Amino acid sequence: MHRQLYKYIVVLVACLFAPVFAVYGSEPTSEAHTGEAEKPLDVKEILFDHLGDGYGWEVPFNHHKRIPLPIIVKGSDGKIHVFSSGRVTGGKEYVDGGLTFRLGKNDGNYRNKLVEVDESGNEIRVADFSVTKNVCAIFITMLIIMALCFRLKNWYKHNGYKVPRRGLGAFEALIEFVYNGVIRSTLKEKSDKFAPYLLTVFMFIFVLNIMGLIVVFPGGANVTGNVAVTLVLAIFTFFFTNFFGTKHYWKEIFWPDVPLWLKFPIPIMQVIEFFGMFTKPAALTVRLFANMMGGHMIVLVLTLLIFIFASFGPLVIGATSVVSIAFSVFMLLVDVLVSFIQAYVFTMLSTIFIALAQEGGHGEKHEKKEDGMGGAKEAAPVSTL
């Protein structure tokens, strides 16, 4: 047992110090050997390339090659043009129907965005409906969630109430934890009405976060670190909160129970409550976006330290590699926990916002208590809470 442990430790240390041996055993490269000067490491370019969206999916361990994705654009001729992203990557231009398309130059206004080039060489932004890396990751996530849900449904269909095992059991336990611990305990009798949306948004965010931590395809897309995606999710919560809000909820916004001088003749409280409707989804957007973007950025920066210190010699790069890899692995493990926490927090806050919009006034509670003998018995436990 101890010998096997020693073997594992030796293998781990050898892997961590592999960059040192690689540097010692490699021949120095120069302009004479390569024929061209070595380009300096552009940290900013690498960070934006990994954290941003793209028209292709990077091949594992070779970011110079990409898996092409379909490009769908509406050109200046009013027609829809469909072609592979491989035709415009690497600075290439593609002519389709007399129109020229390419990716925007780095020093232009449409950097790495698909543009149309006119006769004068000017870049024109086009209506872009392409399946980018983030869009493809969303489709893959949807398929994964649907597969898990239908598999769980078929399990209970053929096995009754027998508890599933392994991965399916963990999936069911996760759903039960969120439903009973957050949704049911907050929304009470109205939980069944909003549970489908809340459980969907939880699983959607959680699976996207986990997929973003996987380096190889189909992972690696920083979807929840995109503010546009988190904004759309927050808008959905905003819709469910306000569209299904009760009369008492809207009364508290436009005529709250505060002293009259706070709402007339200057509508101080009305303005505060009205803007409060929009600060809630804004908080959801920024919270999820900032946390997931920060986690990915920390791991990338720690990994790039190996290449930043490469010019200081083999000993420095060896020590830096050990520290960087160790901290990168640690941050990835932390990000797994953060992925669950952020999905849980987004679902919990959405549930609270919806629950606040479902509260009734004193008149509605009084009617429930006086609704016959059965209504009085049902209202008694609620009053004790």
Side-chain angles (χ1 to χ4, degrees), residues 6-94:
Y6 292 148
K7 290 180 181 179
Y8 292 144
I9 294 175
V10 171
V11 173
L12 179 60
V13 172
C15 292
L16 292 178
F17 282 94
V20 180
F21 305 125
V23 171
Y24 271 118
S26 61
E27 295 183 0
T29 58
S30 62
E31 296 183 16
H33 287 82
T34 60
E36 59 180 4
E38 184 180 355
K39 295 182 179 179
L41 182 66
D42 192 346
V43 177
K44 181 180 178 181
E45 181 72 18
I46 295 175
L47 286 176
F48 276 101
D49 185 58
H50 284 76
L51 297 178
D53 200 0
Y55 293 96
W57 215 303
E58 296 87 354
V59 176
F61 312 110
N62 189 352
H63 292 281
H64 298 288
K65 296 182 179 180
R66 292 174 179 264
I67 301 174
L69 295 173
I71 288 182
I72 307 172
V73 294
K74 183 178 181 181
S76 59
D77 56 356
K79 298 180 181 179
I80 300 296
H81 300 264
V82 181
F83 52 92
S84 172
S85 62
R87 298 182 180 272
V88 293
T89 55
K92 296 183 294 184
E93 294 184 352
Y94 176 67

Coordinates of all heavy atoms in Angstrom, one line a residue, residues 6-94:
Y6 N 3.9 5.8 -2.8 CA 5.2 6.4 -3.2 C 5.3 6.5 -4.7 O 5.8 7.5 -5.2 CB 6.4 5.6 -2.6 CG 6.5 5.6 -1.1 CD1 7.0 4.5 -0.4 CD2 6.1 6.8 -0.4 CE1 7.1 4.6 1.0 CE2 6.2 6.8 1.0 CZ 6.7 5.7 1.7 OH 6.8 5.8 3.0
K7 N 4.8 5.5 -5.4 CA 4.8 5.5 -6.9 C 4.0 6.7 -7.4 O 4.4 7.4 -8.3 CB 4.3 4.2 -7.4 CG 5.3 3.0 -7.2 CD 4.7 1.7 -7.8 CE 5.7 0.6 -7.6 NZ 5.1 -0.7 -8.2
Y8 N 2.8 6.8 -6.8 CA 1.9 7.9 -7.2 C 2.6 9.3 -7.0 O 2.5 10.2 -7.8 CB 0.6 7.9 -6.5 CG -0.2 6.7 -6.9 CD1 -1.0 6.0 -6.0 CD2 -0.2 6.2 -8.2 CE1 -1.8 4.9 -6.3 CE2 -1.0 5.1 -8.6 CZ -1.8 4.4 -7.6 OH -2.5 3.3 -8.0
I9 N 3.3 9.4 -5.9 CA 3.9 10.7 -5.5 C 5.1 11.0 -6.5 O 5.2 12.1 -7.0 CB 4.4 10.7 -4.1 CG1 3.3 10.6 -3.1 CG2 5.3 11.9 -3.8 CD1 3.7 10.5 -1.7
V10 N 5.8 9.9 -6.8 CA 7.0 10.1 -7.8 C 6.4 10.5 -9.2 O 7.0 11.4 -9.8 CB 7.8 8.8 -7.9 CG1 8.8 8.9 -9.0 CG2 8.5 8.6 -6.5
V11 N 5.4 9.8 -9.6 CA 4.8 10.2 -10.9 C 4.3 11.6 -10.9 O 4.5 12.4 -11.9 CB 3.7 9.2 -11.3 CG1 3.0 9.6 -12.6 CG2 4.3 7.8 -11.5
L12 N 3.6 12.0 -9.8 CA 3.1 13.4 -9.8 C 4.2 14.4 -9.8 O 4.1 15.4 -10.5 CB 2.2 13.5 -8.5 CG 1.6 14.9 -8.3 CD1 0.7 15.3 -9.4 CD2 0.9 15.0 -6.9
V13 N 5.3 14.2 -9.0 CA 6.4 15.1 -9.0 C 7.1 15.2 -10.4 O 7.4 16.2 -10.9 CB 7.4 14.7 -7.9 CG1 8.7 15.6 -8.1 CG2 6.8 14.9 -6.6
A14 N 7.2 14.0 -11.0 CA 7.8 14.0 -12.4 C 6.9 14.8 -13.4 O 7.5 15.5 -14.2 CB 7.9 12.6 -12.9
C15 N 5.6 14.7 -13.3 CA 4.8 15.4 -14.2 C 4.9 16.9 -13.9 O 4.8 17.8 -14.8 CB 3.3 15.0 -14.0 SG 3.0 13.3 -14.6
L16 N 5.0 17.3 -12.6 CA 5.1 18.7 -12.3 C 6.4 19.4 -12.8 O 6.4 20.5 -13.2 CB 4.9 18.9 -10.8 CG 3.5 18.6 -10.2 CD1 3.5 18.8 -8.7 CD2 2.4 19.5 -10.9
F17 N 7.5 18.6 -12.7 CA 8.8 19.1 -13.1 C 9.1 18.8 -14.6 O 10.2 19.0 -15.0 CB 9.9 18.5 -12.2 CG 9.9 19.2 -10.9 CD1 9.3 18.6 -9.8 CD2 10.7 20.3 -10.7 CE1 9.3 19.2 -8.5 CE2 10.7 20.9 -9.5 CZ 10.1 20.4 -8.4
A18 N 8.1 18.3 -15.3 CA 8.4 18.0 -16.7 C 8.8 19.2 -17.5 O 9.7 19.1 -18.4 CB 7.1 17.3 -17.3
P19 N 8.2 20.4 -17.2 CA 8.7 21.6 -18.0 C 10.2 21.8 -17.9 O 10.8 22.3 -18.8 CB 7.9 22.7 -17.4 CG 6.6 22.1 -16.9 CD 7.1 20.7 -16.4
V20 N 10.8 21.5 -16.7 CA 12.2 21.7 -16.5 C 13.0 20.9 -17.4 O 13.9 21.3 -18.1 CB 12.6 21.5 -15.0 CG1 14.1 21.7 -14.8 CG2 11.8 22.4 -14.1
F21 N 12.7 19.6 -17.5 CA 13.4 18.6 -18.4 C 13.2 19.0 -19.8 O 14.1 18.8 -20.6 CB 13.0 17.2 -18.1 CG 13.1 16.8 -16.6 CD1 12.0 16.3 -15.9 CD2 14.3 16.9 -16.0 CE1 12.1 15.9 -14.6 CE2 14.5 16.6 -14.7 CZ 13.4 16.1 -14.0
A22 N 12.0 19.5 -20.1 CA 11.7 19.9 -21.5 C 12.6 21.0 -21.9 O 13.1 21.1 -23.1 CB 10.2 20.2 -21.7
V23 N 12.8 22.0 -21.0 CA 13.6 23.2 -21.3 C 15.0 22.8 -21.5 O 15.7 23.2 -22.4 CB 13.4 24.3 -20.3 CG1 14.4 25.4 -20.5 CG2 12.0 24.8 -20.3
Y24 N 15.5 21.9 -20.6 CA 16.9 21.5 -20.7 C 17.2 20.7 -21.9 O 18.3 20.8 -22.5 CB 17.3 20.7 -19.4 CG 17.8 21.5 -18.3 CD1 17.1 21.5 -17.1 CD2 18.9 22.2 -18.4 CE1 17.5 22.3 -16.0 CE2 19.4 23.0 -17.3 CZ 18.7 23.0 -16.1 OH 19.1 23.8 -15.1
G25 N 16.3 19.9 -22.3 CA 16.5 19.0 -23.5 C 16.2 19.6 -24.8 O 16.5 19.0 -25.8
S26 N 15.7 20.8 -24.8 CA 15.3 21.4 -26.1 C 16.4 22.3 -26.6 O 17.2 22.9 -25.8 CB 14.0 22.3 -25.9 OG 14.2 23.3 -25.0
E27 N 16.5 22.5 -27.9 CA 17.5 23.4 -28.4 C 17.0 24.8 -28.5 O 15.8 25.0 -28.7 CB 17.9 22.9 -29.9 CG 18.5 21.5 -29.9 CD 18.9 21.2 -31.3 OE1 18.6 22.0 -32.2 OE2 19.4 20.1 -31.5
P28 N 17.9 25.8 -28.3 CA 17.5 27.1 -28.3 C 17.0 27.5 -29.7 O 17.7 27.2 -30.7 CB 18.7 27.9 -27.8 CG 19.8 27.1 -28.2 CD 19.4 25.7 -28.0
T29 N 15.9 28.2 -29.8 CA 15.4 28.7 -31.0 C 15.8 30.1 -31.3 O 15.9 30.9 -30.3 CB 13.9 28.6 -31.1 OG1 13.4 29.4 -30.0 CG2 13.4 27.2 -30.9
S30 N 16.1 30.5 -32.5 CA 16.5 31.8 -32.8 C 15.9 32.2 -34.2 O 15.3 31.3 -34.8 CB 18.0 31.9 -32.8 OG 18.6 31.1 -33.8
E31 N 16.2 33.4 -34.6 CA 15.7 33.8 -35.9 C 16.3 33.0 -37.0 O 15.8 32.8 -38.1 CB 15.9 35.3 -36.1 CG 15.2 36.2 -35.0 CD 15.4 37.6 -35.3 OE1 15.9 38.0 -36.4 OE2 15.1 38.4 -34.4
A32 N 17.6 32.6 -36.8 CA 18.3 31.8 -37.8 C 17.6 30.4 -38.0 O 17.6 29.9 -39.1 CB 19.7 31.7 -37.5
H33 N 17.2 29.8 -36.9 CA 16.6 28.5 -36.9 C 15.2 28.6 -37.5 O 14.7 27.7 -38.2 CB 16.6 27.8 -35.6 CG 17.9 27.4 -35.1 ND1 18.8 28.2 -34.5 CD2 18.5 26.2 -35.1 CE1 19.9 27.6 -34.2 NE2 19.8 26.3 -34.6
T34 N 14.4 29.5 -37.0 CA 13.0 29.6 -37.4 C 12.7 30.4 -38.7 O 11.7 30.2 -39.3 CB 12.2 30.2 -36.3 OG1 12.7 31.5 -36.0 CG2 12.3 29.4 -35.0
G35 N 13.6 31.3 -39.0 CA 13.4 32.1 -40.2 C 12.6 33.3 -39.9 O 12.5 34.2 -40.8
E36 N 12.1 33.5 -38.7 CA 11.3 34.7 -38.4 C 11.4 34.9 -36.9 O 11.7 34.0 -36.1 CB 9.8 34.5 -38.8 CG 9.2 33.3 -38.2 CD 7.7 33.2 -38.6 OE1 7.3 34.0 -39.4 OE2 7.0 32.3 -38.0
A37 N 11.3 36.2 -36.5 CA 11.4 36.5 -35.1 C 10.2 35.9 -34.3 O 9.1 35.8 -34.8 CB 11.4 38.1 -35.0
E38 N 10.6 35.6 -33.1 CA 9.6 35.0 -32.2 C 8.6 36.1 -31.7 O 9.1 37.2 -31.2 CB 10.2 34.3 -31.0 CG 9.3 33.6 -30.1 CD 10.0 33.0 -28.9 OE1 11.2 33.0 -28.9 OE2 9.3 32.4 -28.0
K39 N 7.3 35.9 -31.8 CA 6.4 36.9 -31.4 C 6.3 36.9 -29.9 O 6.3 35.9 -29.2 CB 5.0 36.6 -32.0 CG 5.0 36.7 -33.5 CD 3.6 36.4 -34.0 CE 3.5 36.5 -35.6 NZ 2.2 36.2 -36.1
P40 N 6.2 38.1 -29.3 CA 6.0 38.2 -27.8 C 4.7 37.7 -27.4 O 3.7 37.7 -28.2 CB 6.2 39.7 -27.6 CG 5.8 40.4 -28.8 CD 6.2 39.4 -29.9
L41 N 4.6 37.2 -26.2 CA 3.4 36.7 -25.6 C 2.4 37.8 -25.4 O 2.6 38.7 -24.6 CB 3.7 35.9 -24.3 CG 2.4 35.2 -23.7 CD1 1.9 34.1 -24.5 CD2 2.8 34.7 -22.3
D42 N 1.2 37.7 -26.0 CA 0.2 38.7 -25.8 C -0.9 38.2 -24.9 O -1.8 37.4 -25.3 CB -0.5 39.1 -27.2 CG -1.3 40.3 -27.1 OD1 -1.7 40.7 -26.0 OD2 -1.7 40.9 -28.1
V43 N -0.7 38.5 -23.6 CA -1.6 38.0 -22.5 C -3.0 38.4 -22.8 O -4.0 37.7 -22.6 CB -1.1 38.4 -21.1 CG1 -2.0 37.9 -20.1 CG2 0.3 37.8 -20.9
K44 N -3.2 39.7 -23.1 CA -4.5 40.3 -23.3 C -5.2 39.5 -24.4 O -6.4 39.2 -24.3 CB -4.4 41.8 -23.6 CG -5.7 42.4 -23.8 CD -5.5 43.9 -24.1 CE -6.9 44.6 -24.4 NZ -6.7 46.0 -24.7
E45 N -4.5 39.3 -25.5 CA -5.1 38.6 -26.7 C -5.6 37.2 -26.3 O -6.7 36.7 -26.7 CB -4.1 38.6 -27.8 CG -4.6 37.9 -29.1 CD -5.7 38.7 -29.8 OE1 -5.7 40.0 -29.6 OE2 -6.4 38.2 -30.6
I46 N -4.7 36.5 -25.5 CA -5.1 35.1 -25.1 C -6.3 35.1 -24.2 O -7.2 34.3 -24.3 CB -3.9 34.5 -24.4 CG1 -2.7 34.3 -25.5 CG2 -4.2 33.1 -23.9 CD1 -1.4 33.8 -24.9
L47 N -6.3 36.0 -23.2 CA -7.5 36.1 -22.3 C -8.8 36.4 -23.0 O -9.8 35.7 -22.8 CB -7.2 37.2 -21.3 CG -6.2 36.9 -20.2 CD1 -6.0 38.1 -19.3 CD2 -6.6 35.7 -19.3
F48 N -8.8 37.3 -23.9 CA -10.0 37.7 -24.7 C -10.4 36.5 -25.6 O -11.6 36.3 -25.8 CB -9.8 39.0 -25.4 CG -10.1 40.2 -24.6 CD1 -9.0 40.9 -24.1 CD2 -11.3 40.6 -24.3 CE1 -9.2 42.1 -23.3 CE2 -11.6 41.7 -23.6 CZ -10.5 42.5 -23.1
D49 N -9.4 35.8 -26.1 CA -9.7 34.7 -27.1 C -10.4 33.6 -26.3 O -11.3 32.9 -26.9 CB -8.4 34.3 -27.7 CG -8.7 33.2 -28.8 OD1 -9.5 33.5 -29.7 OD2 -8.1 32.1 -28.7
H50 N -10.0 33.3 -25.1 CA -10.5 32.2 -24.3 C -11.8 32.6 -23.7 O -12.8 31.7 -23.6 CB -9.5 31.7 -23.3 CG -8.4 30.9 -23.8 ND1 -7.4 31.4 -24.5 CD2 -8.2 29.5 -23.8 CE1 -6.5 30.4 -24.9 NE2 -7.0 29.3 -24.5
L51 N -11.9 33.8 -23.2 CA -13.1 34.2 -22.4 C -14.3 34.7 -23.3 O -15.4 34.6 -22.9 CB -12.8 35.3 -21.4 CG -11.8 34.9 -20.3 CD1 -11.5 36.1 -19.5 CD2 -12.3 33.8 -19.5
G52 N -13.9 35.1 -24.5 CA -14.9 35.6 -25.4 C -15.6 34.5 -26.3 O -15.2 33.3 -26.2
D53 N -16.5 35.0 -27.1 CA -17.2 34.1 -28.0 C -16.4 33.9 -29.3 O -15.5 34.7 -29.5 CB -18.6 34.6 -28.3 CG -19.6 33.5 -28.8 OD1 -19.1 32.4 -28.9 OD2 -20.8 33.8 -29.1
G54 N -16.8 33.0 -30.1 CA -16.1 32.8 -31.4 C -16.9 32.0 -32.4 O -17.9 31.4 -32.0
Y55 N -16.4 32.0 -33.6 CA -17.1 31.3 -34.7 C -16.6 29.9 -34.9 O -17.0 29.2 -35.9 CB -17.0 32.1 -36.0 CG -17.7 33.4 -36.0 CD1 -17.0 34.6 -35.7 CD2 -19.1 33.5 -36.3 CE1 -17.7 35.8 -35.7 CE2 -19.7 34.7 -36.3 CZ -19.0 35.9 -36.0 OH -19.7 37.1 -36.0
G56 N -15.7 29.4 -34.0 CA -15.2 28.1 -34.1 C -14.9 27.6 -32.7 O -14.7 28.4 -31.8
W57 N -14.7 26.3 -32.6 CA -14.4 25.7 -31.3 C -12.9 25.2 -31.4 O -12.5 24.5 -32.3 CB -15.3 24.5 -31.0 CG -15.6 24.4 -29.5 CD1 -14.7 24.2 -28.5 CD2 -16.9 24.4 -28.9 NE1 -15.3 24.1 -27.3 CE2 -16.7 24.2 -27.5 CE3 -18.2 24.5 -29.4 CZ2 -17.7 24.2 -26.6 CZ3 -19.2 24.5 -28.5 CH2 -19.0 24.3 -27.1
E58 N -12.1 25.7 -30.4 CA -10.7 25.4 -30.4 C -10.5 23.9 -30.3 O -11.1 23.2 -29.5 CB -10.0 26.1 -29.3 CG -9.9 27.6 -29.4 CD -11.2 28.2 -28.8 OE1 -12.1 27.5 -28.3 OE2 -11.2 29.5 -28.7
V59 N -9.5 23.4 -31.1 CA -9.1 22.0 -31.0 C -8.3 21.8 -29.7 O -7.4 22.6 -29.4 CB -8.3 21.5 -32.2 CG1 -7.8 20.1 -32.1 CG2 -9.2 21.7 -33.5
P60 N -8.5 20.8 -28.9 CA -7.7 20.6 -27.7 C -6.2 20.6 -27.9 O -5.8 19.9 -28.8 CB -8.2 19.2 -27.1 CG -9.6 19.1 -27.7 CD -9.6 19.7 -29.1
F61 N -5.5 21.3 -27.1 CA -4.1 21.4 -27.1 C -3.5 22.0 -28.5 O -2.3 21.9 -28.7 CB -3.4 20.0 -26.9 CG -4.0 19.3 -25.7 CD1 -4.8 18.2 -25.9 CD2 -3.8 19.8 -24.4 CE1 -5.4 17.6 -24.8 CE2 -4.4 19.2 -23.3 CZ -5.2 18.0 -23.5
N62 N -4.4 22.6 -29.3 CA -3.9 23.3 -30.5 C -4.9 24.4 -30.8 O -5.9 24.1 -31.6 CB -3.8 22.3 -31.6 CG -3.1 22.9 -32.9 OD1 -2.9 24.1 -32.9 ND2 -2.8 22.0 -33.8
H63 N -4.7 25.5 -30.3 CA -5.6 26.6 -30.4 C -5.5 27.4 -31.8 O -6.2 28.3 -32.1 CB -5.5 27.6 -29.3 CG -5.9 27.1 -28.0 ND1 -7.2 27.0 -27.6 CD2 -5.2 26.6 -26.9 CE1 -7.4 26.5 -26.4 NE2 -6.1 26.2 -26.0
H64 N -4.5 26.9 -32.6 CA -4.4 27.5 -33.9 C -5.4 26.9 -34.9 O -5.7 27.4 -36.0 CB -3.0 27.3 -34.5 CG -2.0 28.0 -33.7 ND1 -1.8 29.4 -33.6 CD2 -1.0 27.5 -32.8 CE1 -0.8 29.7 -32.8 NE2 -0.3 28.6 -32.3
K65 N -6.0 25.7 -34.5 CA -7.0 25.1 -35.4 C -8.3 25.1 -34.6 O -8.4 25.0 -33.4 CB -6.6 23.6 -35.7 CG -5.3 23.5 -36.5 CD -5.0 22.1 -36.9 CE -3.8 22.0 -37.7 NZ -3.5 20.6 -38.1
R66 N -9.4 25.2 -35.4 CA -10.7 25.3 -34.8 C -11.7 24.4 -35.5 O -11.6 24.2 -36.7 CB -11.3 26.8 -34.9 CG -10.5 27.8 -34.0 CD -11.0 29.2 -34.2 NE -10.3 30.1 -33.4 CZ -10.8 30.6 -32.2 NH1 -12.0 30.2 -31.8 NH2 -10.1 31.5 -31.5
I67 N -12.7 23.9 -34.7 CA -13.8 23.1 -35.3 C -14.8 24.1 -35.9 O -15.3 25.0 -35.2 CB -14.5 22.3 -34.2 CG1 -13.4 21.3 -33.6 CG2 -15.6 21.5 -34.8 CD1 -14.0 20.5 -32.4
P68 N -15.0 24.1 -37.2 CA -15.8 25.1 -37.8 C -17.3 25.0 -37.4 O -17.8 23.9 -37.2 CB -15.7 24.8 -39.3 CG -15.3 23.4 -39.4 CD -14.5 23.1 -38.2
L69 N -18.0 26.1 -37.3 CA -19.4 26.2 -37.0 C -20.1 26.9 -38.1 O -19.5 27.7 -38.9 CB -19.6 26.9 -35.7 CG -19.0 26.2 -34.4 CD1 -19.1 27.1 -33.2 CD2 -19.7 24.9 -34.2
P70 N -21.4 26.7 -38.3 CA -22.1 27.3 -39.4 C -22.3 28.8 -39.2 O -22.7 29.3 -38.0 CB -23.5 26.6 -39.4 CG -23.6 26.0 -38.0 CD -22.2 25.7 -37.6
I71 N -22.1 29.6 -40.2 CA -22.3 31.1 -40.2 C -23.5 31.4 -41.0 O -23.7 30.9 -42.1 CB -21.1 31.8 -40.7 CG1 -19.9 31.7 -39.8 CG2 -21.4 33.3 -41.0 CD1 -18.7 32.5 -40.2
I72 N -24.4 32.1 -40.4 CA -25.7 32.5 -41.0 C -25.8 34.0 -40.9 O -25.9 34.6 -39.8 CB -26.9 31.9 -40.3 CG1 -26.7 30.3 -40.3 CG2 -28.2 32.2 -41.1 CD1 -27.8 29.6 -39.5
V73 N -25.7 34.7 -42.0 CA -25.8 36.2 -42.0 C -26.7 36.7 -43.1 O -27.0 36.0 -44.1 CB -24.4 36.8 -42.2 CG1 -23.5 36.5 -41.1 CG2 -23.8 36.3 -43.5
K74 N -27.2 37.9 -42.9 CA -28.0 38.6 -43.9 C -27.2 39.7 -44.5 O -26.8 40.7 -43.8 CB -29.3 39.2 -43.2 CG -30.2 39.8 -44.2 CD -31.5 40.3 -43.6 CE -32.4 40.9 -44.6 NZ -33.7 41.5 -43.9
G75 N -26.8 39.6 -45.7 CA -26.0 40.6 -46.4 C -26.7 41.8 -46.8 O -27.9 42.0 -46.6
S76 N -25.9 42.7 -47.4 CA -26.5 44.0 -47.9 C -27.5 43.8 -49.1 O -28.2 44.7 -49.4 CB -25.4 44.9 -48.3 OG -24.6 44.4 -49.3
D77 N -27.4 42.6 -49.7 CA -28.4 42.3 -50.8 C -29.7 41.9 -50.3 O -30.6 41.5 -51.1 CB -27.7 41.3 -51.8 CG -27.3 40.0 -51.0 OD1 -27.5 40.0 -49.8 OD2 -26.9 39.1 -51.7
G78 N -29.8 41.7 -49.0 CA -31.1 41.3 -48.4 C -31.3 39.8 -48.4 O -32.3 39.3 -47.9
K79 N -30.3 39.0 -48.8 CA -30.4 37.6 -48.8 C -29.6 37.0 -47.6 O -28.7 37.6 -47.1 CB -29.8 37.0 -50.1 CG -30.6 37.5 -51.4 CD -29.9 36.9 -52.6 CE -30.7 37.4 -53.9 NZ -30.0 36.9 -55.1
I80 N -30.0 35.7 -47.3 CA -29.4 35.0 -46.2 C -28.2 34.2 -46.8 O -28.4 33.4 -47.8 CB -30.4 34.1 -45.5 CG1 -31.5 34.9 -44.9 CG2 -29.7 33.3 -44.4 CD1 -31.1 35.9 -43.8
H81 N -27.1 34.3 -46.2 CA -25.9 33.6 -46.7 C -25.4 32.6 -45.6 O -25.3 33.0 -44.4 CB -24.7 34.6 -47.0 CG -25.1 35.6 -48.1 ND1 -24.7 35.4 -49.4 CD2 -25.7 36.7 -48.0 CE1 -25.1 36.4 -50.1 NE2 -25.8 37.2 -49.3
V82 N -25.3 31.4 -46.0 CA -24.9 30.3 -45.0 C -23.6 29.6 -45.5 O -23.5 29.2 -46.7 CB -26.0 29.3 -44.9 CG1 -25.6 28.2 -43.9 CG2 -27.3 29.9 -44.5
F83 N -22.6 29.6 -44.7 CA -21.3 28.9 -45.0 C -20.6 28.6 -43.8 O -21.0 29.0 -42.7 CB -20.5 29.8 -46.0 CG -20.3 31.2 -45.4 CD1 -19.2 31.5 -44.6 CD2 -21.1 32.2 -45.7 CE1 -18.9 32.8 -44.1 CE2 -21.0 33.5 -45.2 CZ -19.9 33.8 -44.4
S84 N -19.5 27.8 -43.9 CA -18.7 27.4 -42.8 C -17.8 28.5 -42.3 O -17.3 29.3 -43.1 CB -17.9 26.1 -43.2 OG -17.0 25.8 -42.1
S85 N -17.6 28.5 -41.0 CA -16.7 29.5 -40.4 C -15.2 29.3 -40.8 O -14.4 30.1 -40.7 CB -16.8 29.5 -38.9 OG -16.4 28.2 -38.3
G86 N -14.9 28.0 -41.3 CA -13.6 27.7 -41.7 C -13.2 28.5 -42.9 O -12.0 28.7 -43.2
R87 N -14.1 29.1 -43.7 CA -13.8 29.9 -44.9 C -13.3 31.3 -44.6 O -12.8 32.0 -45.5 CB -15.0 29.9 -45.8 CG -15.5 28.6 -46.3 CD -16.7 28.7 -47.2 NE -17.2 27.4 -47.7 CZ -16.7 26.8 -48.8 NH1 -15.8 27.4 -49.5 NH2 -17.2 25.7 -49.2
V88 N -13.5 31.7 -43.3 CA -13.1 33.1 -43.0 C -12.1 33.2 -41.8 O -11.7 34.3 -41.4 CB -14.4 34.0 -42.6 CG1 -15.3 34.2 -43.8 CG2 -15.2 33.3 -41.5
T89 N -11.7 32.0 -41.3 CA -10.7 32.1 -40.2 C -9.3 32.2 -40.8 O -9.1 31.9 -42.0 CB -10.8 30.8 -39.4 OG1 -10.7 29.6 -40.3 CG2 -12.2 30.7 -38.7
G90 N -8.4 32.7 -39.9 CA -7.1 32.8 -40.4 C -6.8 34.0 -41.3 O -5.9 34.0 -42.1
G91 N -7.7 35.0 -41.2 CA -7.6 36.2 -42.1 C -8.1 36.0 -43.5 O -7.9 36.9 -44.4
K92 N -8.7 34.9 -43.8 CA -9.2 34.6 -45.2 C -10.5 35.4 -45.4 O -11.3 35.7 -44.5 CB -9.5 33.1 -45.4 CG -8.2 32.3 -45.3 CD -8.4 30.8 -45.6 CE -9.3 30.2 -44.5 NZ -9.5 28.7 -44.7
E93 N -10.8 35.6 -46.7 CA -12.0 36.2 -47.2 C -12.8 35.2 -48.0 O -12.2 34.4 -48.7 CB -11.7 37.5 -48.0 CG -11.1 38.6 -47.2 CD -10.9 39.9 -48.0 OE1 -11.2 39.8 -49.2 OE2 -10.6 40.9 -47.4
Y94 N -14.2 35.3 -47.9 CA -15.0 34.4 -48.6 C -16.0 35.2 -49.4 O -16.7 36.1 -48.9 CB -15.7 33.5 -47.6 CG -16.7 32.5 -48.3 CD1 -16.3 31.5 -49.2 CD2 -18.1 32.7 -48.1 CE1 -17.2 30.7 -49.8 CE2 -19.0 31.8 -48.7 CZ -18.5 30.8 -49.5 OH -19.4 30.0 -50.2

